[in-house]
Amino acid sequence: MDFAFDDDTRLLCEALRKFLKTEVLPLEEKHKDLLDGGKMSDEVARIGAGIRKKAVEAGFYTVHLPKELGGAGLPYVTTTALREEIAMSGSVILGLYVIGDPPCGPTPLLMLCNDEQRERFLKPLVAGDKTTCFALTEPGAGSDISSIQTMAVRDGDDWVLNGSKIYISNGMHADFFQVFALTKKPGPGEDAMFGCISLFMVDADSPGVERKLMKSMGGDDFQAEITFKDVRVPASNLVGDEGFGFLGAAQWLSGERLMMAIQAVGLARYALAFGTEWAKTRMAFGKPIGKNQGVSFPLADCATQIEAARWLTYRTAWLLDQGETAMTELAMAKVFAADVLGKVADQVMQTLGGIGYMAEHPIERIYRMARVFRIGGGTSEIQRRLIAKGLGL
Amino acid sequence: MKIAVIIKQTPDTETVVKINDAGNDIVGTGVKYVMSPYCEFAVEEALRTKEKLGGEVVVVSLGPDRVLETIRTALAMGCDRAIHLKDPAYEGGDGQATAKALAAALKTVSPDIVFAGKQAIDGDQSQVAVRVAELAGLAQATIVTALEIAADGKTAKATRRSEGGGEVVELKLPALISCEKGLNEPRYASLPGIMKAKKKEVKELKPAELGLEGQVGAAGAKAKRVKLLPLAERKAGRRIEAETPEAAAAELVRLLREEAKVL
């Protein structure tokens, strides 16, 4: 048994830390007012695009991709460690531009693209020239993917799309969307996933596309509603096999769980470090507040929970590296890390007291962000369902 | 141009170090090690020199197995090959013993210019670089904040920081430059750089191969650290509470004058 990172991972983490310190964190400090607690404005997206280009040059942007897609072909453990570095760096938003992770960057989902499609869609993503988004969820279909209603009807050389997608991260800024739509209405008792749902690449400026910003609790202006009204999409934009678009995506979605688990761990570590420092330096009644067990014990519990979530996540990454599907462990890591982040954010805010509630410190933002970890990327209930299934229930 | 750079691995500044039971060293476990920050300026300047004038950059470092990690960082940044002085006999040396080993290793490279940090951030003795220059018979400029090397590679002009001002010195190469903050902004290793670094040569040299048996490490040291003194614990700060900023400022001035007696 060996819990140490290998040399590659250590060197990469060190290089990434330096990249964040040189290229990302100073810009966040400089544009503090503009970032406004992590709002994805056009101006922020422009600054982010500059970072993205630098990350492409340094090789970080495609670090998560297999070699055949222009990536580094690194083990899951390594990419997990890199994502942890970003999450715990204290970056408010610009850190999101360093690794081309979903939803904005190139995802392994694009493995389904044929050569011609790779040229048109994958290449500009890998180069950091364009961004994309994952348009799956609909008002009537979240976890229950088979119920999507967006319809694509063949008309000559085109498909004609009608329907609407919601909560689409990066929807406002994406250059093209990865849209899941029915190319055939499922018959009675038929699961749409097998034979009915197809994947289309849709240019954001196609006539009939409308996107609207959705305000959220996170205040990050990152989600959009996208509607398609008689949007014509060339047949050559259908990716993978007609009717089986979601099966490719399913594989990608399991990777997203690992990503969210480690982001939760990284954010929790950052929050705990912030709270611990506060407990050491904030004086009350003549001593640092951390000298009171009422303050120190809850933080000790936070540290213990983070440690558990962290190694659950790394072990899951390791299992994936061994070629396992690790469906149960992925679900466990995601559900547990999301819960831990929520508890830690809540506890650290309590440690900080009044100042924790104020927007000038990062904890209230993390507290708000923590909530989405139990919802996005498969709700905690869906994860528990997967775990129960693993138990044979 | 033959360019060499001497680097040292030190505990990260963010690591909280503990003194061992014997009281003469730090506890090695749980410490995160990095390249000493001034050595980063040296590596960067070496790489910039190569980019301008061509040639090869050789990294030289002394220390145990773990030092290889820091050597790899330098190689990932773009250095071409490395010499690792690794042997238990090198351990426990003073500035002179360490410099002797490094100078002998440099001799195998015959560099036109050598870069080093102005000091390592652990021992803070600022001895090794100057002793290496002496032992190797190199011209030297210490605490350098700007450097220009003539296109013919024969001379260099170095700007040194000195108390409250600075000076410019001209050097005949071969020379050693000890690097100060401000000289440059060190680059970060890129992913392709890290992957390439794995294939670069790291040559290990034992004291016998340098003809220095019994002369390096503890055996060659003339000075020995006998005790480490802990940092004085910082006292808690004091917060001035007042109704208005003016009243707070007045109170601060009063305390500086009457209690701290600095005004």
Side-chain angles (χ1 to χ4, degrees):
Chain A
M1 233 165 32
D2 186 357
F3 288 92
F5 289 144
D6 62 16
D7 282 349
D8 277 359
T9 307
R10 274 199 296 264
L11 276 174
L12 279 164
C13 285
E14 190 186 309
L16 180 63
R17 261 198 304 279
K18 268 207 187 120
F19 183 89
L20 292 166
K21 225 164 114 182
T22 323
E23 305 288 359
V24 179
L25 300 176
L27 278 181
E28 290 208 333
E29 187 55 37
K30 188 173 156 197
H31 298 292
K32 212 170 181 175
D33 293 339
L34 187 67
L35 293 182
D36 189 20
K39 223 177 256 328
M40 186 66 83
S41 60
D42 290 344
E43 188 63 6
V44 169
R46 194 187 56 74
I47 297 166
I51 293 176
R52 188 163 64 225
K53 271 301 200 188
K54 284 190 170 155
V56 168
E57 272 170 44
F60 293 123
Y61 195 66
T62 49
V63 87
H64 61 304
L65 292 183
K67 278 196 175 137
E68 64 160 306
L69 294 187
L74 294 170
Y76 282 100
V77 167
T78 308
T79 51
T80 300
L82 291 170
R83 289 183 178 120
E84 187 181 19
E85 285 291 344
I86 296 174
M88 62 190 243
S89 71
S91 161
V92 174
I93 188 166
L94 296 177
L96 285 177
Y97 290 90
V98 180
I99 298 182
D101 268 330
C104 311
T107 68
L109 171 60
L110 296 160
M111 293 269 269
L112 297 176
C113 286
N114 61 33
D115 288 348
E116 182 271 331
Q117 290 166 336
R118 284 184 186 197
E119 197 63 30
R120 279 192 295 147
F121 299 108
L122 182 64
K123 219 171 157 187
L125 284 183
V126 166
D129 293 331
K130 286 188 176 178
T131 66
T132 183
C133 66
F134 190 74
L136 173 63
T137 303
E138 297 185 2
S143 304
D144 178 16
I145 292 145
S146 299
S147 301
I148 63 166
Q149 299 292 318
T150 297
M151 198 68 209
V153 178
R154 187 69 188 245
D155 181 27
D157 286 339
D158 295 335
W159 290 89
V160 180
L161 260 66
N162 277 288
S164 106
K165 301 286 179 181
I166 50 167
Y167 322 134
I168 307 305
S169 296
N170 197 41
M172 292 307 288
H173 295 281
D175 296 288
F176 67 90
F177 318 134
Q178 304 162 62
V179 183
F180 293 86
L182 295 172
T183 40
K184 183 183 141 226
K185 274 223 184 310
E190 191 185 357
D191 189 340
M193 270 194 229
F194 302 92
C196 301
I197 300 177
S198 299
L199 169 59
F200 295 91
M201 300 291 148
V202 181
D203 283 325
D205 55 9
S206 306
V209 167
E210 203 180 299
R211 39 186 171 178
K212 209 171 89 199
L213 177 69
M214 299 180 84
K215 289 282 183 184
S216 72
M217 178 178 173
D220 51 6
D221 287 1
F222 198 45
Q223 283 83 31
E225 177 178 357
I226 305 174
T227 47
F228 303 93
K229 205 170 163 197
D230 295 329
V231 175
R232 298 193 81 86
V233 182
S236 59
N237 283 22
L238 188 150
V239 170
D241 294 331
E242 185 182 325
F244 291 89
F246 185 74
L247 291 186
Q251 205 181 357
W252 171 81
L253 283 171
S254 64
E256 193 194 16
R257 279 179 213 138
L258 182 68
M259 188 178 97
M260 289 193 75
I262 200 63
Q263 281 171 346
V265 167
L267 276 169
R269 286 184 70 186
Y270 173 75
L272 177 63
F274 198 94
T276 308
E277 189 56 32
W278 185 263
K280 281 181 188 165
T281 48
R282 171 73 161 103
M283 303 290 287
F285 307 107
K287 60 180 178 182
I289 57 169
K291 293 281 178 203
N292 301 303
Q293 291 181 343
V295 174
S296 67
F297 281 13
L299 292 180
D301 284 341
C302 286
T304 309
Q305 297 253 314
I306 291 172
E307 191 70 6
R310 183 164 187 257
W311 290 109
L312 180 55
T313 305
Y314 276 110
R315 179 167 179 276
T316 305
W318 178 84
L319 282 173
L320 293 171
D321 285 333
Q322 308 309 308
E324 309 252 351
T325 50
M327 289 309 277
T328 303
E329 288 81 1
L330 278 163
M332 285 173 168
K334 203 247 169 194
V335 73
F336 188 66
D339 278 350
V340 167
L341 174 59
K343 283 179 197 159
V344 170
D346 184 70
Q347 184 53 53
V348 170
M349 185 178 285
Q350 199 63 25
T351 306
L352 264 65
I355 198 77
Y357 187 68
M358 297 295 134
E360 67 174 281
H361 279 342
I363 300 305
E364 66 83 32
R365 179 179 58 83
I366 292 173
Y367 181 89
R368 286 182 285 118
M369 274 171 67
R371 196 61 187 79
V372 83
F373 279 78
R374 283 163 53 200
I375 300 170
T379 61
S380 288
E381 290 68 29
I382 288 292
Q383 309 305 331
R384 289 191 171 96
R385 200 175 79 156
L386 284 165
I387 299 164
K389 211 169 139 189
L391 293 172
L393 297 170
Chain B
M1 193 160 206
K2 276 269 186 206
I3 305 156
V5 54
I6 305 170
I7 60 171
K8 184 176 184 187
Q9 187 186 54
T10 59
D12 189 3
T13 43
E14 285 166 24
T15 294
V16 182
V17 293
K18 288 189 194 107
I19 296 174
N20 67 6
D21 291 340
N24 61 0
D25 207 347
I26 61 165
V27 177
T29 50
V31 174
K32 195 171 146 256
Y33 288 95
V34 296
M35 189 187 304
S36 179
Y38 295 108
C39 298
E40 289 188 1
F41 300 125
V43 171
E44 179 63 33
E45 202 59 23
L47 294 172
R48 288 185 189 196
T49 303
K50 180 191 160 178
E51 281 156 8
K52 224 190 237 162
L53 300 171
E56 179 194 44
V57 180
V58 184
V59 189
V60 185
S61 192
L62 180 149
D65 277 337
R66 61 173 155 77
V67 170
L68 184 61
E69 237 181 80
T70 299
I71 290 175
R72 289 261 176 243
T73 301
L75 294 174
M77 285 169 80
C79 296
D80 298 291
R81 63 185 176 93
I83 296 174
H84 185 184
L85 303 182
K86 192 185 91 176
D87 194 89
Y90 288 122
E91 304 299 315
D94 62 355
Q96 178 71 3
T98 301
K100 211 185 264 179
L102 290 169
L106 284 175
K107 212 171 159 190
T108 69
V109 179
S110 312
D112 299 299
I113 191 156
V114 180
F115 294 95
K118 67 156 185 170
Q119 74 196 84
I121 58 152
D122 52 358
D124 275 334
Q125 300 208 38
S126 311
Q127 291 200 15
V128 169
V130 286
R131 285 175 186 267
V132 165
E134 282 299 312
L135 289 167
L138 304 171
Q140 64 173 311
T142 54
I143 322 179
V144 171
T145 54
L147 182 71
E148 274 172 60
I149 301 172
D152 64 3
K154 299 255 193 275
T155 57
K157 201 185 267 183
T159 306
R160 302 185 57 243
R161 187 181 59 71
S162 62
E163 193 65 43
E167 70 175 329
V168 178
V169 290
E170 241 177 40
L171 301 154
K172 271 192 198 151
L173 302 192
L176 181 141
I177 305 295
S178 88
C179 304
E180 164 70 318
K181 191 177 176 172
L183 176 61
N184 55 45
E185 192 56 57
R187 69 194 65 190
Y188 38 81
S190 69
L191 182 113
I194 290 168
M195 294 305 163
K196 268 191 235 157
K198 285 201 268 193
K199 295 196 186 99
K200 291 180 179 172
E201 179 195 86
V202 181
K203 191 174 172 186
E204 290 181 14
L205 286 177
K206 305 275 171 208
E209 293 169 273
L210 297 171
L212 291 175
E213 252 173 320
Q215 298 174 55
V216 294
K222 292 176 179 164
K224 189 175 144 194
R225 185 203 297 137
V226 289
K227 199 172 179 193
L228 272 179
L229 306 174
L231 287 171
E233 221 174 280
R234 204 177 57 182
K235 282 189 191 150
R238 192 147 121 203
R239 213 186 164 102
I240 296 172
E241 311 273 1
E243 294 281 317
T244 62
E246 289 81 4
E251 175 65 3
L252 176 62
V253 170
R254 187 189 71 76
L255 289 170
L256 287 172
R257 182 171 292 147
E258 292 175 14
E259 286 194 18
K261 300 195 196 305
V262 292
L263 289 183

